[in-house]
mmCIF file of all heavy atoms in Angstrom:
data_model
loop_
_atom_site.group_PDB
_atom_site.id
_atom_site.type_symbol
_atom_site.label_atom_id
_atom_site.label_comp_id
_atom_site.label_asym_id
_atom_site.label_seq_id
_atom_site.Cartn_x
_atom_site.Cartn_y
_atom_site.Cartn_z
ATOM 1 N N ILE A 249 11.193 -7.747 -3.954
ATOM 2 C CA ILE A 249 10.685 -8.958 -3.362
ATOM 3 C C ILE A 249 11.200 -10.130 -4.148
ATOM 4 O O ILE A 249 11.811 -11.109 -3.562
ATOM 5 C CB ILE A 249 9.146 -8.956 -3.365
ATOM 6 C CG1 ILE A 249 8.575 -7.780 -2.608
ATOM 7 C CG2 ILE A 249 8.626 -10.299 -2.751
ATOM 8 C CD1 ILE A 249 7.054 -7.614 -2.837
ATOM 9 N N GLN A 250 10.944 -10.173 -5.411
ATOM 10 C CA GLN A 250 11.255 -11.292 -6.338
ATOM 11 C C GLN A 250 10.444 -12.568 -5.911
ATOM 12 O O GLN A 250 9.375 -12.418 -5.318
ATOM 13 C CB GLN A 250 12.735 -11.494 -6.497
ATOM 14 C CG GLN A 250 13.411 -10.215 -7.004
ATOM 15 C CD GLN A 250 14.850 -10.367 -7.341
ATOM 16 O OE1 GLN A 250 15.254 -11.267 -8.066
ATOM 17 N NE2 GLN A 250 15.701 -9.523 -6.742
ATOM 18 N N GLY A 251 10.956 -13.722 -6.171
ATOM 19 C CA GLY A 251 10.190 -14.877 -5.902
ATOM 20 C C GLY A 251 9.183 -15.165 -6.983
ATOM 21 O O GLY A 251 9.530 -15.506 -8.098
ATOM 22 N N THR A 252 7.887 -14.782 -6.786
ATOM 23 C CA THR A 252 6.885 -14.847 -7.834
ATOM 24 C C THR A 252 6.258 -13.520 -8.049
ATOM 25 O O THR A 252 6.124 -12.693 -7.147
ATOM 26 C CB THR A 252 5.759 -15.862 -7.388
ATOM 27 O OG1 THR A 252 4.693 -15.772 -8.353
ATOM 28 C CG2 THR A 252 5.157 -15.473 -6.003
ATOM 29 N N GLU A 253 5.902 -13.233 -9.342
ATOM 30 C CA GLU A 253 5.279 -11.999 -9.623
ATOM 31 C C GLU A 253 3.893 -11.944 -8.966
ATOM 32 O O GLU A 253 3.327 -10.866 -8.751
ATOM 33 C CB GLU A 253 5.126 -11.773 -11.140
ATOM 34 C CG GLU A 253 6.468 -11.542 -11.814
ATOM 35 C CD GLU A 253 6.308 -11.313 -13.347
ATOM 36 O OE1 GLU A 253 5.183 -11.322 -13.772
ATOM 37 O OE2 GLU A 253 7.312 -11.229 -14.008
ATOM 38 N N GLN A 254 3.329 -13.089 -8.688
ATOM 39 C CA GLN A 254 2.029 -13.188 -8.047
ATOM 40 C C GLN A 254 2.147 -12.999 -6.494
ATOM 41 O O GLN A 254 1.567 -13.723 -5.717
ATOM 42 C CB GLN A 254 1.342 -14.490 -8.334
ATOM 43 C CG GLN A 254 1.056 -14.733 -9.773
ATOM 44 C CD GLN A 254 0.234 -13.605 -10.443
ATOM 45 O OE1 GLN A 254 -0.797 -13.190 -9.820
ATOM 46 N NE2 GLN A 254 0.641 -13.119 -11.571
ATOM 47 N N THR A 255 2.901 -11.961 -6.134
ATOM 48 C CA THR A 255 2.995 -11.517 -4.721
ATOM 49 C C THR A 255 2.210 -10.248 -4.697
ATOM 50 O O THR A 255 2.252 -9.389 -5.605
ATOM 51 C CB THR A 255 4.424 -11.323 -4.340
ATOM 52 O OG1 THR A 255 5.150 -12.572 -4.338
ATOM 53 C CG2 THR A 255 4.537 -10.738 -2.940
ATOM 54 N N TYR A 256 1.505 -10.039 -3.594
ATOM 55 C CA TYR A 256 0.655 -8.903 -3.429
ATOM 56 C C TYR A 256 0.968 -8.197 -2.097
ATOM 57 O O TYR A 256 1.139 -8.806 -1.096
ATOM 58 C CB TYR A 256 -0.858 -9.301 -3.450
ATOM 59 C CG TYR A 256 -1.232 -9.946 -4.745
ATOM 60 C CD1 TYR A 256 -0.929 -11.302 -4.958
ATOM 61 C CD2 TYR A 256 -1.842 -9.229 -5.716
ATOM 62 C CE1 TYR A 256 -1.266 -11.945 -6.210
ATOM 63 C CE2 TYR A 256 -2.200 -9.779 -6.920
ATOM 64 C CZ TYR A 256 -1.871 -11.155 -7.188
ATOM 65 O OH TYR A 256 -2.208 -11.739 -8.378
ATOM 66 N N THR A 257 1.058 -6.885 -2.163
ATOM 67 C CA THR A 257 1.299 -6.039 -0.976
ATOM 68 C C THR A 257 -0.034 -5.539 -0.472
ATOM 69 O O THR A 257 -0.871 -5.050 -1.220
ATOM 70 C CB THR A 257 2.194 -4.847 -1.280
ATOM 71 O OG1 THR A 257 3.494 -5.381 -1.694
ATOM 72 C CG2 THR A 257 2.411 -3.969 -0.072
ATOM 73 N N THR A 258 -0.231 -5.580 0.876
ATOM 74 C CA THR A 258 -1.307 -4.923 1.526
ATOM 75 C C THR A 258 -0.750 -3.685 2.252
ATOM 76 O O THR A 258 0.125 -3.827 3.100
ATOM 77 C CB THR A 258 -2.040 -5.815 2.501
ATOM 78 O OG1 THR A 258 -2.637 -6.913 1.802
ATOM 79 C CG2 THR A 258 -3.159 -5.084 3.224
ATOM 80 N N TRP A 259 -1.291 -2.506 1.876
ATOM 81 C CA TRP A 259 -0.872 -1.290 2.618
ATOM 82 C C TRP A 259 -2.041 -0.881 3.500
ATOM 83 O O TRP A 259 -3.118 -0.685 3.064
ATOM 84 C CB TRP A 259 -0.512 -0.236 1.613
ATOM 85 C CG TRP A 259 0.022 1.066 2.178
ATOM 86 C CD1 TRP A 259 1.390 1.322 2.483
ATOM 87 C CD2 TRP A 259 -0.689 2.301 2.514
ATOM 88 N NE1 TRP A 259 1.501 2.572 2.969
ATOM 89 C CE2 TRP A 259 0.252 3.206 3.008
ATOM 90 C CE3 TRP A 259 -2.039 2.626 2.510
ATOM 91 C CZ2 TRP A 259 -0.108 4.460 3.521
ATOM 92 C CZ3 TRP A 259 -2.403 3.877 2.935
ATOM 93 C CH2 TRP A 259 -1.414 4.780 3.412
ATOM 94 N N ILE A 260 -1.678 -0.713 4.798
ATOM 95 C CA ILE A 260 -2.670 -0.267 5.778
ATOM 96 C C ILE A 260 -2.191 0.880 6.580
ATOM 97 O O ILE A 260 -1.140 0.736 7.307
ATOM 98 C CB ILE A 260 -2.993 -1.502 6.705
ATOM 99 C CG1 ILE A 260 -3.359 -2.765 5.980
ATOM 100 C CG2 ILE A 260 -4.109 -1.106 7.729
ATOM 101 C CD1 ILE A 260 -3.355 -4.006 6.831
ATOM 102 N N PRO A 261 -2.853 2.028 6.578
ATOM 103 C CA PRO A 261 -2.443 3.142 7.445
ATOM 104 C C PRO A 261 -2.923 2.770 8.890
ATOM 105 O O PRO A 261 -3.961 2.240 9.093
ATOM 106 C CB PRO A 261 -3.227 4.317 6.866
ATOM 107 C CG PRO A 261 -4.451 3.733 6.225
ATOM 108 C CD PRO A 261 -4.000 2.374 5.690
ATOM 109 N N LEU A 262 -2.054 3.207 9.835
ATOM 110 C CA LEU A 262 -2.436 2.974 11.206
ATOM 111 C C LEU A 262 -3.145 4.193 11.800
ATOM 112 O O LEU A 262 -2.627 4.949 12.592
ATOM 113 C CB LEU A 262 -1.154 2.667 11.980
ATOM 114 C CG LEU A 262 -0.325 1.433 11.588
ATOM 115 C CD1 LEU A 262 0.913 1.289 12.355
ATOM 116 C CD2 LEU A 262 -1.176 0.157 11.614
ATOM 117 N N GLY A 263 -4.365 4.332 11.299
ATOM 118 C CA GLY A 263 -5.154 5.497 11.652
ATOM 119 C C GLY A 263 -5.746 6.168 10.433
ATOM 120 O O GLY A 263 -5.503 5.753 9.270
ATOM 121 N N GLU A 264 -6.530 7.227 10.649
ATOM 122 C CA GLU A 264 -7.052 7.992 9.478
ATOM 123 C C GLU A 264 -5.864 8.506 8.651
ATOM 124 O O GLU A 264 -4.840 8.954 9.162
ATOM 125 C CB GLU A 264 -7.864 9.141 9.996
ATOM 126 C CG GLU A 264 -9.003 8.759 10.904
ATOM 127 C CD GLU A 264 -10.254 8.271 10.066
ATOM 128 O OE1 GLU A 264 -10.323 8.662 8.915
ATOM 129 O OE2 GLU A 264 -10.993 7.486 10.632
ATOM 130 N N CYS A 265 -5.973 8.451 7.304
ATOM 131 C CA CYS A 265 -4.865 8.908 6.471
ATOM 132 C C CYS A 265 -5.474 9.583 5.289
ATOM 133 O O CYS A 265 -5.643 9.053 4.179
ATOM 134 C CB CYS A 265 -3.994 7.781 5.999
ATOM 135 S SG CYS A 265 -2.523 8.330 5.170
ATOM 136 N N PRO A 266 -5.759 10.957 5.392
ATOM 137 C CA PRO A 266 -6.131 11.746 4.250
ATOM 138 C C PRO A 266 -4.977 11.924 3.249
ATOM 139 O O PRO A 266 -3.851 11.631 3.612
ATOM 140 C CB PRO A 266 -6.641 13.026 4.865
ATOM 141 C CG PRO A 266 -5.874 13.114 6.107
ATOM 142 C CD PRO A 266 -5.688 11.709 6.581
ATOM 143 N N GLU A 267 -5.275 12.366 2.077
ATOM 144 C CA GLU A 267 -4.244 12.519 1.082
ATOM 145 C C GLU A 267 -3.063 13.355 1.584
ATOM 146 O O GLU A 267 -1.938 13.056 1.288
ATOM 147 C CB GLU A 267 -4.789 13.177 -0.193
ATOM 148 C CG GLU A 267 -5.762 12.221 -0.942
ATOM 149 C CD GLU A 267 -6.309 12.861 -2.242
ATOM 150 O OE1 GLU A 267 -5.638 13.746 -2.784
ATOM 151 O OE2 GLU A 267 -7.377 12.503 -2.699
ATOM 152 N N GLU A 268 -3.365 14.445 2.282
ATOM 153 C CA GLU A 268 -2.286 15.377 2.716
ATOM 154 C C GLU A 268 -1.391 14.720 3.728
ATOM 155 O O GLU A 268 -0.256 15.266 3.962
ATOM 156 C CB GLU A 268 -2.877 16.644 3.205
ATOM 157 C CG GLU A 268 -3.795 16.550 4.468
ATOM 158 C CD GLU A 268 -5.258 16.388 4.096
ATOM 159 O OE1 GLU A 268 -5.550 15.948 2.964
ATOM 160 O OE2 GLU A 268 -6.113 16.678 4.936
ATOM 161 N N LEU A 269 -1.805 13.627 4.360
ATOM 162 C CA LEU A 269 -0.923 12.977 5.343
ATOM 163 C C LEU A 269 0.008 11.991 4.653
ATOM 164 O O LEU A 269 0.954 11.509 5.244
ATOM 165 C CB LEU A 269 -1.802 12.216 6.415
ATOM 166 C CG LEU A 269 -1.063 11.627 7.589
ATOM 167 C CD1 LEU A 269 -0.234 12.701 8.388
ATOM 168 C CD2 LEU A 269 -2.023 10.937 8.528
ATOM 169 N N GLY A 270 -0.225 11.736 3.348
ATOM 170 C CA GLY A 270 0.682 10.866 2.587
ATOM 171 C C GLY A 270 0.078 9.534 2.250
ATOM 172 O O GLY A 270 0.700 8.498 2.414
ATOM 173 N N SER A 271 -1.148 9.490 1.775
ATOM 174 C CA SER A 271 -1.788 8.213 1.476
ATOM 175 C C SER A 271 -1.158 7.568 0.210
ATOM 176 O O SER A 271 -0.453 8.266 -0.540
ATOM 177 C CB SER A 271 -3.350 8.366 1.281
ATOM 178 O OG SER A 271 -3.580 9.293 0.208
ATOM 179 N N LEU A 272 -1.456 6.325 -0.004
ATOM 180 C CA LEU A 272 -0.910 5.599 -1.149
ATOM 181 C C LEU A 272 -1.702 5.778 -2.415
ATOM 182 O O LEU A 272 -2.927 5.831 -2.324
ATOM 183 C CB LEU A 272 -0.847 4.093 -0.807
ATOM 184 C CG LEU A 272 -0.019 3.196 -1.740
ATOM 185 C CD1 LEU A 272 1.423 3.177 -1.317
ATOM 186 C CD2 LEU A 272 -0.634 1.884 -1.886
ATOM 187 N N THR A 273 -1.016 5.836 -3.497
ATOM 188 C CA THR A 273 -1.676 5.912 -4.789
ATOM 189 C C THR A 273 -1.174 4.802 -5.742
ATOM 190 O O THR A 273 0.003 4.419 -5.597
ATOM 191 C CB THR A 273 -1.474 7.247 -5.516
ATOM 192 O OG1 THR A 273 -0.055 7.447 -5.825
ATOM 193 C CG2 THR A 273 -1.865 8.391 -4.560
ATOM 194 N N VAL A 274 -1.944 4.338 -6.645
ATOM 195 C CA VAL A 274 -1.589 3.263 -7.572
ATOM 196 C C VAL A 274 -1.825 3.673 -9.001
ATOM 197 O O VAL A 274 -2.852 4.360 -9.296
ATOM 198 C CB VAL A 274 -2.400 1.959 -7.265
ATOM 199 C CG1 VAL A 274 -2.119 0.858 -8.236
ATOM 200 C CG2 VAL A 274 -2.138 1.519 -5.838
#
């Protein structure tokens, strides 16, 4: 992205997303 480090990503699954479907981890 660059620009500013104070950029934030919002991750939204389009439906139910259990871990086995590939959910996001931080």
Side-chain angles (χ1 to χ4, degrees):
I249 302 169
Q250 302 186 55
T252 174
E253 291 181 5
Q254 297 304 313
T255 296
Y256 299 81
T257 297
T258 296
W259 187 84
I260 306 168
L262 300 178
E264 303 279 334
C265 188
E267 291 182 27
E268 61 268 22
L269 188 57
S271 62
L272 189 91
T273 67
V274 176

